[in-house]
């Protein structure tokens, strides 16, 4: 009997250590991209509709955790810093809201709005990069183009790159820098569909 009690002691101690380690893990923190704060006055309420999306993400971004660039070829996936919603949906929603505010239209809608809108132009593409490095340099690289209501190309596809420097080294500052790159992209989309 003494043997079984002794054999159980290390197992119980190990379980207690594991439980203590789990209890001391920091809680996850959630972040999201946000649209421009001030909506513009609606100048074109009955204009041609613009549908934003879909935008596909590069595979390395298609995860709930934030990704940091580590040198030229490496990435670090955060353990406890996560997107509050899927990044592709958040990106698309923010671009649509920004473009609507920048062109002063209430006819800028998110994909799949073509089911409720006829003859709308569509902005679509692929996010090739949206991350920040250890120095706080955020980069957005997106391949995109504009189609008319029939699906014909009205603005040929191109790759655009945007950079912004974070004001600090903490995660909120880095996410704000990434947000600034999305705002810059939104301005180019607004100019293209005006």
């Amino acid at each position: 009997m003494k043997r079984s009690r002794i054999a159980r002691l290390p197992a119980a101690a190990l379980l207690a250590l594991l439980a203590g380690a789990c209890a001391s893990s920091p809680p996850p923190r959630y972040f999201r991209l946000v649209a421009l704060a001030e909506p513009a006055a609606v100048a074109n309420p009955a204009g041609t509709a613009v549908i934003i999306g879909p935008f596909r993400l590069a595979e390395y971004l298609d995860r709930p955790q934030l990704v940091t660039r580590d040198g030229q070829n490496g990435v670090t996936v955060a353990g406890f810093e996560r997107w509050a919603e899927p990044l592709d949906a958040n990106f698309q929603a923010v671009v649509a809201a920004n473009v609507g505010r920048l062109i002063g239209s209430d006819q800028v809608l998110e994909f799949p709005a073509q089911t409720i809108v006829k003859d709308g132009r569509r902005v679509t593409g692929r996010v090739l990069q949206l991350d920040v490095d250890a120095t706080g340099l955020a980069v957005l690289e997106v391949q995109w183009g504009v189609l008319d209501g029939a699906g014909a190309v009205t603005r040929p596809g191109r790759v655009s790159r945007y950079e912004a420097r974070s004001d600090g080294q903490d995660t909120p500052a880095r996410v704000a820098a990434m947000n600034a790159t999305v705002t810059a992209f939104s301005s180019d989309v607004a100019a293209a569909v005006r």
Side-chain angles (χ1 to χ4, degrees):
M1 276 211 195
K2 283 187 176 184
R3 258 192 166 157
S4 64
R5 213 181 256 176
I6 292 172
R8 280 188 265 175
L9 181 60
L14 180 61
L15 286 174
L17 283 173
L18 288 174
C22 291
S24 66
S25 296
R29 295 181 350 163
Y30 294 93
F31 299 90
R32 57 191 288 265
L33 302 169
V34 294
L36 294 167
E38 293 297 318
V42 176
N44 188 17
T48 303
V50 177
I51 300 166
I52 304 295
F55 279 91
R56 286 186 33 234
L57 292 177
E59 293 298 321
Y60 84 101
L61 293 171
D62 194 11
R63 65 185 67 247
Q65 299 90 352
L66 273 70
V67 175
T68 302
R69 266 178 288 121
D70 184 9
Q72 184 175 356
N73 297 319
V75 294
T76 301
V77 178
F80 299 101
E81 295 164 333
R82 301 177 183 163
W83 293 110
E85 63 182 309
L87 183 56
D88 57 347
N90 187 205
F91 178 87
Q92 182 175 292
V94 168
V95 172
N98 285 348
V99 171
R101 290 171 180 167
L102 290 167
I103 68 173
S105 174
D106 62 359
Q107 296 293 307
V108 180
L109 308 168
E110 287 183 66
F111 177 84
Q114 76 274 11
T115 59
I116 57 172
V117 173
K118 288 197 174 249
D119 302 326
R121 288 174 287 168
R122 191 164 94 196
V123 181
T124 186
R126 179 170 166 82
V127 177
L128 305 172
Q129 181 177 355
L130 178 57
D131 53 32
V132 64
D133 68 11
T135 70
L137 178 66
V139 175
L140 167 63
E141 192 168 278
V142 60
Q143 177 183 5
W144 64 287
V146 182
L147 308 172
D148 67 13
V153 175
T154 62
R155 182 180 178 102
R158 66 181 196 171
V159 175
S160 299
R161 182 180 172 93
Y162 307 88
E163 295 182 357
R165 179 76 54 190
S166 70
D167 291 337
Q169 291 298 317
D170 62 348
T171 303
R174 291 172 182 231
V175 171
M178 286 189 278
N179 206 100
T181 65
V182 176
T183 301
F185 170 63
S186 301
S187 294
D188 283 354
V189 172
V193 299
R194 235 179 216 119

